[in-house]
Amino acid sequence: MSTRATRSPRRRTVIALAVVLAVLAAFVVRLVDIQVVNADSLRDDSLGVGIGASHTVFGARGTITDSTGALLAGNVMQYDAQVDPQHVGDIETESATGEEIVVTWAEQAARIAAITGQTPEEIQKIVADALKADPDTQWARLTTGLSTDQFQALADLGYPYLYMTEHPARTYPDGAVAGNLIGFVGADGDALAGLEGAEDGCLAATDGERVFERGKDGVVIPGTMRETPAVDGGTLELTINRDLQWYMQQMIAEEVQNQEANYGTVFVLEVGTGKVRAAAEYPTVDPNDPSASPGEDRGSRIFSYTFEPGSTFKPVTAATIIEEGAATPLRPIIPASGRETFPNGVTINDIFSHPSYDYTLTGALVDSSNVALSKFGELVPDAVRHDYLEAFGVGQGTAIGFPGEEAGLLHPVPWDDASHYTTTFGQYYTVTVPQVASVYQTIANGGVQMPLSLVESCTTPSGEVIEPELPAAKRVISESTADQVTLMLENVYQQVTNHSVLEVPGYRMATKSGTAQKPDGQGGYKQGIFYTTLAGFAPADDPQYVVILTLDEPKKNRASAANAPGFQKAMTQVLKTFRVLPSQNPGPEILPKYE
C-alpha cells in the first residue's frame, strides 16, 4: 500500500511526461502541416518573398541523321561560367612545399582568363561592374560556351566563388556536308534556316525547371527541391546518303572552279521511290560557322533558283505528242534547217548552222534542233502542251516543301506567237533543279511520278516513328510512251559527240543536255551567257537513279558540254555507292536521225 508521500512524486512525473508528449505532439502536427499538408502553398509563398530560386533544365535538341543513321547534326555540352562577387578577393592557401601564400584577386583573374580566352582586365571589370550596379549582388556572368576541357580546368582552380552551369549546344560533325540542306541554329538555339527550321517541330526540345529554396548563405534548403524534367527533341532521319553527299560536294566544287562558273549543283534522285539521295552545291555553308559564308550561300539554290530549262525539257514535248498519238520516235518526218522564219513572223534558230534535214522525232532530240521541235510541237494544241507541262510539275512546288523553295512559272494559254514555239524547247517557263529531276524520274519510272522526299521520318523521344505525309504517286504518261522516250534519250546519249566523256562502262544511260539562255532583265537574253544542265538516268534498261548537274555561267566552256565530266563522275559514284548491277541487256536499238 502506497503512502501519500510516494504517490505524489509519481503523479507529478506522469503529468510532466504527459505535458511533454502533448507539446511534442503539437510540434509534430505543426511540422506535418508545414512540410506535408501545406507544403506547396508555403513553398510558393516563400518563392515570392525572395528566398526561392530556380534553374533551367535544358533539353537536348534532336539529332539529324542520314539514311544510314550517320550523324549530321547533334549536340555537345557547353558551360557558362558565373562568379559570386561577394566572395571574390585574395585567397590564403598553401604552396606545393606547404608554405602559406596569398593568391591575389588579380592573379586569380589572370588564371581564369588564361582558360576562358579573356584578358585578366576583362575578368576584373565584369566583377567590378556587377558590384557597381548592385553592391549586394551574388551573381555575374564571366563567359558562355565553354568546352568540357575548359570547364574542368576552371573547376580545378578550386575558387569558391566560381561555378558553372551546363547546357547543350548544336554541332555539325561533318562541317559543310549537307549544310545547304540542314541549315543552322542561332547562338540562342533557335532554328534559323534549312531543315533545322522546317522540321523544328520534330527537333525542338522542351526545357524543364528546377525550383528550390535557399538560405541567406545560398545553401539549398533540404526538401525544397522540385523539378519539371526536360523533354529532348526527336531524331530526324533524312533520305540522303552522307558519304555520297560529301563526294558530290567535293566534285561540284572542283567542277565549278574548273569551268569558272558562278556556282553549280548536283542532284541525285532514286527512281522507284522519289527519295533524294544527294543534293550538293557549291559554294555552300558550314552550319558550324554560317557567318563565314555570304548571305546568298547560306540557303539552297537547288530549291530557290528558277531557270528556263531549255533543251532538257524537249523530252517533255516528245512525250506529249507521242502520248497524244501525233507522233512516234520515227514518224512523221519533218524537214527543218538551222534557221527558219515561221508563217507568224517568228524566227527560230538552232545552236548550230545546218541545211534542211528530214528529221525523225528522235533525230530532233539527238541534234537538239529547236526548229524541228517547234514543228513537231505544232502537232498538238498549245493548251494540251500546257496541261502536260503542268502534269509533269511545272509551276508547282515539290512535295519536299523546302524552306524558300520556288514553284517556277508556267504561263496560262493562250501563248503569244513566239512562245507558241519556244515552249517546245524549254523557254517561256521556269523550273527548279528538283522539278527537272522529277521529269526524268517520271520517264524512267514508266510514266509514274513519285512525290519527292528529303525526310525519311521523325522518331519522337517516346520512340514513335512518324513518316511525312506525301501525295500519292500519279501516272503522267503511259508506260509505252515512257519506254519510247527512254529509247530516244538512250539514242541521244549514244549519238552525241561527247559520248565517250559521258560513258560509264557497263551501263546503258539515257541523257539530255540543256544550254539555257539567261534573261537580261529587259525582256531579252544575255549574249553568250548560259545556265547549263545535263540530266539523265541509269541503267537505262532498268532505271535506278536520276542525276542532274547544273553550272551557272561557265566561262571556260560555255555550252552544256562543260557539264559532261562532272556528270560522268557523279553517275559513276552513284552506281558504285548503291552497288547497282551493270546493264544486263545489250542495246539500245540505234534509231535514225533523218529519213
Side-chain angles (χ1 to χ4, degrees), residues 515-529:
T515 307
Q517 294 175 284
K518 294 191 68 175
D520 60 9
Q522 300 176 351
Y525 292 98
K526 297 178 181 179
Q527 295 300 310
I529 302 295

Side-chain angles (χ1 to χ4, degrees), residues 326-456:
T328 70
L330 299 178
R331 289 290 184 274
I333 304 299
I334 292 182
S337 60
R339 176 185 174 90
E340 291 190 24
T341 299
F342 287 82
N344 62 6
V346 174
T347 299
I348 302 296
N349 299 287
D350 283 353
I351 198 168
F352 68 101
S353 179
H354 62 85
S356 181
Y357 296 137
D358 291 332
Y359 273 111
T360 63
L361 182 55
T362 299
L365 285 185
V366 172
D367 281 358
S368 203
S369 171
N370 295 337
V371 177
L373 260 294
S374 296
K375 292 183 175 182
F376 275 108
E378 287 191 297
L379 296 175
V380 294
D382 288 354
V384 173
R385 290 197 290 112
H386 170 279
D387 290 348
Y388 274 92
L389 286 169
E390 188 174 60
F392 270 105
V394 179
Q396 308 162 53
T398 68
I400 293 173
F402 193 83
E405 181 176 353
E406 293 289 338
L409 177 64
L410 177 60
H411 295 280
V413 289
W415 293 328
D416 58 34
D417 289 343
S419 303
H420 168 70
Y421 299 110
T422 60
T423 48
T424 66
F425 50 85
Q427 292 185 356
Y428 195 59
Y429 53 87
T430 60
V431 296
T432 61
V433 167
Q435 288 172 329
V436 178
S438 182
V439 165
Y440 283 77
Q441 178 275 324
T442 302
I443 295 170
N445 199 40
V448 177
Q449 185 181 74
M450 301 299 295
L452 271 56
S453 61
L454 185 57
V455 172
E456 190 73 57

Side-chain angles (χ1 to χ4, degrees), residues 187-387:
D188 56 1
D190 289 342
L192 298 180
L195 294 174
E196 288 277 25
E199 300 296 329
D200 195 49
C202 171
L203 297 168
T206 302
D207 291 339
E209 186 179 36
R210 187 177 294 119
V211 181
F212 52 88
E213 299 169 26
R214 60 187 179 185
K216 186 177 181 180
D217 58 358
V219 176
V220 176
I221 299 174
T224 64
M225 183 76 70
R226 289 187 303 170
E227 182 173 328
T228 302
V231 179
D232 294 341
T235 297
L236 185 70
E237 181 182 336
L238 306 186
T239 61
I240 66 169
N241 178 284
R242 181 192 62 176
D243 293 344
L244 182 64
Q245 177 77 17
W246 176 87
Y247 174 87
M248 294 301 179
Q249 287 188 210
Q250 303 303 309
M251 184 274 293
I252 196 62
E254 181 180 353
E255 292 301 313
V256 166
Q257 294 170 62
N258 287 345
Q259 298 299 334
E260 300 174 6
N262 293 339
Y263 66 86
T265 74
V266 59
F267 192 82
V268 180
L269 190 64
E270 195 167 75
V271 169
T273 64
K275 297 181 189 296
V276 179
R277 294 309 186 187
E281 52 195 285
Y282 176 83
T284 188
V285 62
D286 181 347
N288 289 304
D289 187 15
S291 61
S293 299
E296 60 269 23
D297 295 336
R298 296 178 195 171
S300 176
R301 292 184 177 92
I302 286 175
F303 293 95
S304 65
Y305 182 74
T306 60
F307 57 96
E308 292 185 341
S311 297
T312 55
F313 259 56
K314 286 174 180 174
V316 174
T317 300
T320 299
I321 58 179
I322 291 174
E323 185 75 4
E324 289 298 304
T328 70
L330 299 178
R331 289 290 184 274
I333 304 299
I334 292 182
S337 60
R339 176 185 174 90
E340 291 190 24
T341 299
F342 287 82
N344 62 6
V346 174
T347 299
I348 302 296
N349 299 287
D350 283 353
I351 198 168
F352 68 101
S353 179
H354 62 85
S356 181
Y357 296 137
D358 291 332
Y359 273 111
T360 63
L361 182 55
T362 299
L365 285 185
V366 172
D367 281 358
S368 203
S369 171
N370 295 337
V371 177
L373 260 294
S374 296
K375 292 183 175 182
F376 275 108
E378 287 191 297
L379 296 175
V380 294
D382 288 354
V384 173
R385 290 197 290 112
H386 170 279
D387 290 348

Side-chain angles (χ1 to χ4, degrees), residues 6 81 334 395 521 556:
T6 58
I334 292 182
K556 188 174 181 180

Side-chain angles (χ1 to χ4, degrees), residues 444-526:
N445 199 40
V448 177
Q449 185 181 74
M450 301 299 295
L452 271 56
S453 61
L454 185 57
V455 172
E456 190 73 57
S457 65
C458 170
T459 302
T460 67
S462 65
E464 180 185 5
V465 178
I466 302 173
E467 297 181 352
E469 295 182 6
L470 297 172
K474 70 172 183 178
R475 178 164 292 283
V476 178
I477 54 176
S478 67
E479 184 174 359
S480 173
T481 296
D483 289 344
Q484 292 177 74
V485 175
T486 295
L487 177 60
M488 289 191 288
L489 289 173
E490 280 199 86
N491 271 264
V492 173
Y493 164 70
Q494 288 288 342
Q495 298 187 48
V496 292
T497 56
N498 63 346
H499 168 78
S500 61
V501 180
L502 290 171
E503 184 178 14
V504 179
Y507 294 89
R508 290 169 56 177
M509 284 203 296
T511 63
K512 186 72 185 78
S513 63
T515 307
Q517 294 175 284
K518 294 191 68 175
D520 60 9
Q522 300 176 351
Y525 292 98
K526 297 178 181 179

